[in-house]
Amino acid sequence: MILQVGLSGPSIFSPFSAYSRLNPLIFCKRRRCIRLPHWQFNRPRPRLFAVAASANGVSTSPEIAKSFDFTAEERIYNWWESQGYFRPNFDRGSDPFVISMPPPNVTGSLHMGHAMFVTLEDIMVRYHRMKGRPTLWLPGTDHAGIATQLVVERMLASEGIRRVEMSRDDFTNRVWEWKEKYGGTITNQIKRLGASCDWTKEHFTLDEQLSQAVIEAFVRLHEKGLIYQGSYMVNWSPALQTAVSDLEVEYSEESGYLYHIKYRVAGRSDFLTVATTRPETLFGDVALAVHPQDDRYSKFVGQLAIVPMTFGRHVPIISDKHVDKDFGTGVLKISPGHDHNDYLLARKLGLPILNVMNKDGTLNEVAGMYSGLDRFEARKKLWAELEETGLALKKEPHTLRVPRSQRGGEVIEPLVSKQWFVTMEPLAEKALQAVENGELTIIPERFEKIYNHWLSNIKDWCISRQLWWGHRIPVWYITGKDSEEEYIVARSAEAALEKAREKYGKDVEIYQDPDVLDTWFSSSLWPFSTLGWPDASTEDFNRFYPTTMLETGHDILFFWVARMVMMGIEFTGTVPFSYVYLHGLIRDSQGRKMSKTLGNVIDPLDTIKEFGTDALRFTLALGTAGQDLNLSTERLTSNKAFTNKLWNAGKFVLQNLPNQNDASAWESILAYKFDKEETLLKLPLPECWVVSKLHLLIDSVTASYDKFFFGDVGRETYDFFWGDFADWYIEASKAHLYQSEGDSVASVAQAVLLYTFEHILKLLHPFMPFVTEELWQALPNRNEALMVSPWPQTKLPSSTSSIKKFENMQALVRAIRNARAEYSVEPAKRISASVVASNEVIQYISKEKHVLALLSRLDLQSVHLQILFQIEYDGLIAQLSSPRFVERAPEDVVRGVREKAAEAEEKITLTKNRLAFLKSNDLVSK
């Protein structure tokens, strides 16, 4: 059979006819397999290595285990930690790489969001540790005021105890007991993901030192006039009995109703119809508003309307351009005590604020006969009575945008409440400048616009919470005095009492504000409070601040990131980190958000048991910064197979290395210096190709690591290992390892196998720390852990021509394999082949004919290499042998063909002589 293939390569001869532009041909004949006596596959017997780490019980050799045992991960992790590898090491460098871990809630249990940030941060930390930088990944947990108080209150309720029946001290003592018993769960789970944090520096946001930092921050902000107290509209959680941040309110699209209610115009028979989603708030109405250009209602502006069910209470009818005349009826009820927009409008127009609701969500005495009813029960009763009195016009289905508490899930109530606030505008201005000036880089860049928009339109921050668990607000009031007018801000109760005595006399009595600070207030100080601030003289603060990187989910860019930037600049004069890396959300295989309701939540710990930590990490790391990632079983299965492929490659390498006691063999292997160009260029073609590709990969992957393109790192390394090293080089190396042509041929293959594989382990280690460390420790002569071994050197030599030549050989092998498949040749059968190509191609294929035979399942003795010039020469001779051509063609044309034939004959003779010389020097396989 005849098969045309594209087998090209640089030639030392200039083409002189159309023949040289033809693709080479492979002539293959089916024949029975012939076992050749000189072609022996002398597979070495497996050798077991005693390695340094084995004495520590760390390593399980691939030669013993069929696959990587996931249960070894905890053992490996404990060994790393016991060796102190997680702590910063200044022996190899002085420029530290520092990440502050986003502190998970102390109540938390590991979910895929945690798995994502741990994976990405650990990749960064392990990479820079191997690069020689002192690395500090500082871990910790957040006291999570609302969440933790909820958990403990539910626990107490199961015992028949209500928090309000306890003293504050008794309750907080129970919370601390709970924290000591269960608070370490999330930490241990994070360790299970391989997080190489310095656990000796672990912090908790209620640690004594961090608590002092919180008090100091509050006092300083108050002294600058940036903290104030006042009664303003907040988001109120009736169940939790506390204010919650705008950022802790989640809006959901829910089915509800739009209620159309008649408001009679005082002194007239007319009425205005108001459409509202919350009729129970009408008791707090202080005006009706219409658009100034709405001709339907212009005649009513300036008159009074009667609020239904209020025994005749009158409110003014006003006009304002902010009214949407196309929504509902175009008439807006103004209830400033229960709506954020109404509140702002009322303050602008000087309207009164009327509150109709208690803090537990029931209506107060302003609601008259509805007082004491729950807000939703009051809605039902009110509508029924409006229908009875003829004031209810209609109720129509309507999609509502319902605000719910992120913590408790209940409907949030806008409510005017006395709280403590931080003035944000001057702080935000500096945070905006940090990005504009390049002091802070946000990755991906598109989030800069969102960051800038939020900070440019920032509202003052309500920082007080009506809880018992958290940082108590450092404010004391004077007994018997107006708390809004007379209060003392101090760093301790003793300092507050001393100030009070100076002003009010020695018999004065004081009491502390019962509220605590928003959890995010303490978290905003995290990058520097954990390093010793406000004591700026500490060793940690001077060594590690400002930190290098802040990595977190893009959904808390405002909750946490922007606030840290503002507070860092305010208190230290420096942006707290140079980079912000934002990852996306983890979704299911269909792109849906994971939720218990949908039943599509994937538990990281269950995933680790089934697929291993490395497969999970590798899957999560292949995403793109800022973009959501769809996680599927198929992806995890594929990357588990990748782990096994890596393990099997290690098994092959180990089985084909000399015994560790064979000093002479190891001397030969270690003599190869692949960082030297002269060494590289002397290698056989497969070895030169794979080492060249490896060196190019190191450059590319290192550049991607430095740019935080982790997905590119993973894909490029995966492709090289599986596509180049495992599928091609390991197979090609067998021709050198198993042929009986002396130890020198096998030695170079062993050296390249070891060199390439150990570099693959280094490149993959930040992604897949466990399996790579296990394989590293199984290799001979390992004197240190992989995680602290030096990162591969960049800008190492490579041979472009060798890469091209081997790619030609790959194309040739694929063509032969396709031909075998086309003719249904049994896999075990060896066939003969004739390869026709240019002189240069023939020369390098001749040197690796045994590799070609092995990869293509050819009969080595029947592999015939034919120079392309022979075909050209035969064609020219055929022309000259034709009387018709000689007699009819012009004389100069015939003369030219004779000259070309003579030139071709000369080159054929020259090439044959060269091949004979190569054979005589054992450079071409017999």
Side-chain angles (χ1 to χ4, degrees):
M1 57 187 175
I2 299 176
L3 177 67
Q4 228 181 359
V5 296
L7 186 64
S8 60
S11 175
I12 59 173
F13 300 118
S14 300
F16 58 89
S17 75
Y19 289 107
S20 65
R21 294 192 296 273
L22 292 174
N23 285 331
L25 301 177
I26 302 178
F27 302 93
C28 301
K29 298 179 182 178
R30 294 177 63 182
R31 60 180 295 163
R32 289 186 301 174
C33 176
I34 300 176
R35 189 171 300 278
L36 303 176
H38 66 274
W39 180 251
Q40 298 175 10
F41 291 84
N42 298 322
R43 182 183 297 273
R45 297 181 64 184
R47 305 178 181 88
L48 304 182
F49 297 101
V51 295
S54 296
N56 297 321
V58 174
S59 174
T60 300
S61 173
E63 294 191 299
I64 299 173
K66 290 183 178 180
S67 61
F68 179 54
D69 182 4
F70 304 148
T71 62
E73 293 173 351
E74 291 184 80
R75 171 170 45 79
I76 295 169
Y77 188 90
N78 292 334
W79 178 68
W80 283 332
E81 188 174 11
S82 70
Q83 299 301 304
Y85 293 143
F86 298 163
R87 296 197 292 271
N89 184 347
F90 284 85
D91 292 345
R92 288 169 55 198
S94 58
D95 178 27
F97 181 85
V98 185
I99 295 183
S100 298
M101 175 186 287
N105 289 352
V106 70
T107 58
S109 183
L110 197 69
H111 57 65
M112 279 299 172
H114 297 125
M116 175 66 95
F117 89 68
V118 169
T119 295
L120 293 173
E121 291 176 29
D122 199 41
I123 285 173
M124 299 181 200
V125 167
R126 287 179 184 271
Y127 168 68
H128 286 283
R129 183 184 289 120
M130 293 175 75
K131 290 278 283 185
R133 297 179 68 177
T135 57
L136 173 61
W137 186 9
L138 195 149
T141 49
D142 191 285
H143 67 278
I146 293 175
T148 306
Q149 184 156 319
L150 268 176
V151 168
V152 176
E153 283 196 41
R154 288 169 184 161
M155 180 189 72
L156 291 172
S158 68
E159 301 173 13
I161 304 172
R162 297 174 62 217
R163 174 176 63 90
V164 293
E165 298 169 350
M166 305 174 68
S167 70
R168 183 171 189 144
D169 287 344
D170 287 343
F171 177 77
T172 53
N173 285 338
R174 288 297 299 270
V175 182
W176 277 109
E177 288 174 11
W178 179 92
K179 189 264 179 186
E180 293 305 314
K181 187 173 182 180
Y182 301 106
T185 299
I186 188 69
T187 295
N188 292 328
Q189 291 173 338
I190 284 175
K191 289 182 177 182
R192 191 67 188 82
L193 286 163
S196 57
C197 308
D198 184 353
W199 295 105
T200 66
K201 296 185 184 296
E202 182 181 8
H203 283 287
F204 178 54
T205 48
L206 280 178
D207 285 348
E208 183 177 353
Q209 193 271 314
L210 271 65
S211 296
Q212 290 301 315
V214 169
I215 292 171
E216 185 66 27
F218 185 98
V219 172
R220 291 191 190 184
L221 288 172
H222 185 269
E223 288 173 348
K224 291 186 69 172
L226 294 175
I227 283 184
Y228 63 93
Q229 185 185 46
S231 295
Y232 300 97
M233 175 70 71
V234 297
N235 299 300
W236 186 263
S237 172
L240 298 172
Q241 291 281 289
T242 182
V244 295
S245 165
D246 290 346
L247 304 176
E248 293 172 306
V249 177
E250 294 181 338
Y251 290 87
S252 60
E253 300 288 322
E254 300 178 20
S255 298
Y257 294 97
L258 194 60
Y259 300 86
H260 293 252
I261 304 172
K262 295 179 181 178
Y263 281 62
R264 300 187 188 279
V265 180
R268 301 179 61 156
S269 59
D270 300 299
F271 63 84
L272 299 182
T273 302
V274 171
T276 179
T277 59
R278 303 171 67 215
E280 70 278 5
T281 61
L282 64 77
F283 300 106
D285 291 352
V286 297
L288 296 186
V290 298
H291 195 278
Q293 297 177 357
D294 194 334
D295 296 335
R296 294 175 295 174
Y297 307 116
S298 57
K299 64 182 179 180
F300 299 114
V301 175
Q303 298 189 44
L304 298 175
I306 302 172
V307 180
M309 311 304 289
T310 60
F311 305 102
R313 186 165 64 85
H314 290 41
V315 295
I317 301 172
I318 62 175
S319 65
D320 190 272
K321 64 181 181 180
H322 289 96
V323 176
D324 183 357
K325 59 182 180 179
D326 297 323
F327 175 77
T329 63
V331 180
L332 178 69
K333 61 189 283 297
I334 308 297
S335 310
H338 302 280
D339 182 274
H340 287 283
N341 292 326
D342 291 0
Y343 176 77
L344 295 174
L345 184 61
R347 293 193 64 183
K348 182 184 75 171
L349 300 176
L351 297 171
I353 309 294
L354 193 58
N355 176 33
V356 303
M357 203 167 292
N358 297 313
K359 291 185 175 180
D360 63 357
T362 60
L363 272 59
N364 62 22
E365 65 278 2
V366 175
M369 60 183 177
Y370 298 91
S371 176
L373 288 178
D374 174 79
R375 51 186 167 160
F376 300 117
E377 287 300 317
R379 180 181 300 175
K380 294 178 183 177
K381 182 180 180 183
L382 174 61
W383 182 248
E385 295 185 357
L386 286 170
E387 288 181 315
E388 289 179 8
T389 58
L391 296 177
L393 191 61
K394 63 178 178 178
K395 180 176 76 171
E396 59 184 6
H398 182 71
T399 301
L400 307 177
R401 189 165 177 262
V402 180
R404 290 191 176 274
S405 167
Q406 190 184 61
R407 298 299 177 196
E410 64 167 331
V411 176
I412 291 296
E413 190 66 38
L415 207 65
V416 174
S417 176
K418 187 173 77 170
Q419 303 287 342
W420 288 94
F421 296 85
V422 177
T423 303
M424 300 301 288
E425 192 172 338
L427 301 175
E429 185 177 349
K430 294 177 182 177
L432 282 165
Q433 290 174 355
V435 171
E436 185 180 339
N437 299 338
E439 298 173 75
L440 176 64
T441 300
I442 298 177
I443 304 167
E445 187 179 357
R446 70 177 184 276
F447 283 102
E448 284 186 13
K449 292 182 180 179
I450 301 173
Y451 173 91
N452 291 340
H453 179 267
W454 186 73
L455 287 176
S456 299
N457 298 275
I458 199 167
K459 297 177 182 178
D460 286 356
W461 178 12
C462 175
I463 57 170
S464 47
R465 298 290 182 267
Q466 289 64 54
L467 303 171
W468 282 359
W469 173 248
H471 295 100
R472 192 89 173 262
I473 289 179
V475 171
W476 285 262
Y477 302 107
I478 311 302
T479 302
K481 300 285 184 180
D482 185 338
S483 61
E484 291 193 22
E485 298 294 332
E486 304 286 343
Y487 65 83
I488 294 169
V489 176
R491 291 174 174 82
S492 65
E494 293 75 16
L497 182 59
E498 185 177 341
K499 286 183 179 181
R501 285 173 173 172
E502 288 176 1
K503 187 173 182 180
Y504 300 102
K506 65 178 182 177
D507 295 328
V508 68
E509 294 184 3
I510 62 174
Y511 61 96
Q512 190 171 359
D513 193 308
D515 292 351
V516 299
L517 288 163
D518 178 12
T519 301
W520 293 104
F521 188 89
S522 56
S523 298
S524 69
L525 314 177
W526 184 253
F528 47 96
S529 64
T530 52
L531 295 173
W533 188 89
D535 184 357
S537 65
T538 64
E539 182 180 20
D540 280 354
F541 187 84
N542 284 282
R543 271 188 165 183
F544 302 117
Y545 189 82
T547 65
T548 312
M549 167 66 69
L550 188 282
E551 191 284 330
T552 191
H554 66 68
D555 52 331
I556 59 172
L557 178 60
F558 313 130
F559 278 99
W560 192 43
V561 179
R563 287 172 175 169
M564 281 189 289
V565 175
M566 288 185 276
M567 294 301 188
I569 295 172
E570 173 65 23
F571 294 120
T572 71
T574 306
V575 178
F577 28 74
S578 301
Y579 299 93
V580 173
Y581 183 102
L582 300 171
H583 67 251
L585 302 177
I586 308 294
R587 298 184 179 273
D588 70 7
S589 58
Q590 301 176 42
R592 301 174 302 175
K593 190 173 182 179
M594 291 186 187
S595 70
K596 293 180 180 177
T597 305
L598 292 174
N600 63 347
V601 175
I602 301 176
D603 188 315
L605 297 177
D606 291 341
T607 304
I608 287 171
K609 289 176 185 176
E610 184 175 357
F611 300 98
T613 302
D614 292 315
L616 173 60
R617 286 171 57 120
F618 195 78
T619 304
L620 295 177
L622 290 184
T624 303
Q627 293 186 5
D628 293 352
L629 177 72
N630 294 358
L631 185 63
S632 66
T633 301
E634 291 73 20
R635 288 189 177 191
L636 291 165
T637 301
S638 173
N639 290 322
K640 180 182 179 181
F642 179 48
T643 306
N644 289 336
K645 188 78 170 179
L646 199 64
W647 188 260
N648 288 331
K651 186 189 297 286
F652 177 84
V653 172
L654 286 170
Q655 287 175 341
N656 288 283
L657 291 176
N659 190 289
Q660 189 159 288
N661 297 324
D662 189 342
S664 176
W666 277 103
E667 185 178 350
S668 298
I669 289 175
L670 298 176
Y672 288 97
K673 304 299 180 186
F674 298 109
D675 58 341
K676 306 296 183 184
E677 187 172 16
E678 56 269 25
T679 301
L680 177 72
L681 297 179
K682 291 177 182 177
L683 295 174
L685 180 59
E687 282 69 27
C688 188
W689 165 76
V690 77
V691 172
S692 294
K693 292 271 285 188
L694 172 68
H695 289 171
L696 294 175
L697 175 73
I698 292 170
D699 289 347
S700 177
V701 160
T702 302
S704 293
Y705 267 116
D706 289 338
K707 295 175 184 175
F708 311 110
F709 294 169
F710 303 122
D712 291 349
V713 171
R715 283 183 287 272
E716 289 180 44
T717 311
Y718 180 102
D719 290 344
F720 172 79
F721 165 74
W722 201 308
D724 292 333
F725 182 72
D727 283 358
W728 284 97
Y729 180 67
I730 280 183
E731 295 307 311
S733 70
K734 295 174 183 177
H736 292 163
L737 291 169
Y738 304 156
Q739 65 174 314
S740 55
E741 291 201 16
D743 292 339
S744 61
V745 178
S747 176
V748 68
Q750 291 170 327
V752 169
L753 278 170
L754 180 60
Y755 176 79
T756 307
F757 189 65
E758 66 182 10
H759 278 76
I760 288 171
L761 295 181
K762 287 188 176 186
L763 297 180
L764 280 174
H765 177 74
F767 282 70
M768 308 173 78
F770 292 111
V771 68
T772 54
E773 185 70 76
E774 188 90 324
L775 287 165
W776 177 269
Q777 294 298 335
L779 295 173
N781 304 310
R782 303 298 105 172
N783 297 319
E784 60 184 356
L786 174 58
M787 71 172 293
V788 293
S789 65
W791 186 254
Q793 184 181 343
T794 55
K795 298 181 180 178
L796 294 169
S798 62
S799 171
T800 305
S801 65
S802 294
I803 293 174
K804 181 63 177 174
K805 289 175 183 177
F806 195 81
E807 287 173 352
N808 284 341
M809 182 176 285
Q810 287 175 305
L812 179 59
V813 171
R814 291 189 187 102
I816 297 172
R817 289 174 177 174
N818 290 340
R820 294 176 65 104
E822 183 180 349
Y823 287 88
S824 303
V825 179
E826 291 85 348
K829 279 192 175 182
R830 297 190 181 278
I831 60 175
S832 63
S834 294
V835 180
V836 180
S838 67
N839 175 45
E840 185 185 17
V841 172
I842 290 296
Q843 287 198 45
Y844 65 73
I845 288 180
S846 297
K847 295 178 183 178
E848 301 299 339
K849 193 162 62 170
H850 50 299
V851 174
L852 176 64
L854 177 64
L855 295 176
S856 307
R857 301 294 291 174
L858 299 178
D859 178 353
L860 183 62
Q861 284 189 327
S862 300
V863 176
H864 304 291
L865 306 178
Q866 187 174 352
I867 303 167
L868 191 60
F869 293 115
Q870 183 69 52
I871 296 175
E872 285 192 86
Y873 175 72
D874 291 345
L876 293 170
I877 294 300
Q879 271 187 296
L880 294 172
S881 300
S882 170
R884 191 172 180 178
F885 171 74
V886 176
E887 293 172 1
R888 294 188 179 185
E891 186 179 345
D892 59 332
V893 173
V894 175
R895 184 171 59 251
V897 171
R898 286 197 175 102
E899 290 174 355
K900 288 180 180 178
E903 184 179 352
E905 184 178 23
E906 182 182 346
K907 290 181 177 179
I908 290 170
T909 302
L910 176 63
T911 301
K912 286 181 177 178
N913 292 335
R914 287 179 175 173
L915 289 174
F917 174 75
L918 292 172
K919 288 181 179 179
S920 68
N921 287 276
D922 292 328
L923 294 176
V924 176
S925 175
K926 297 177 182 177

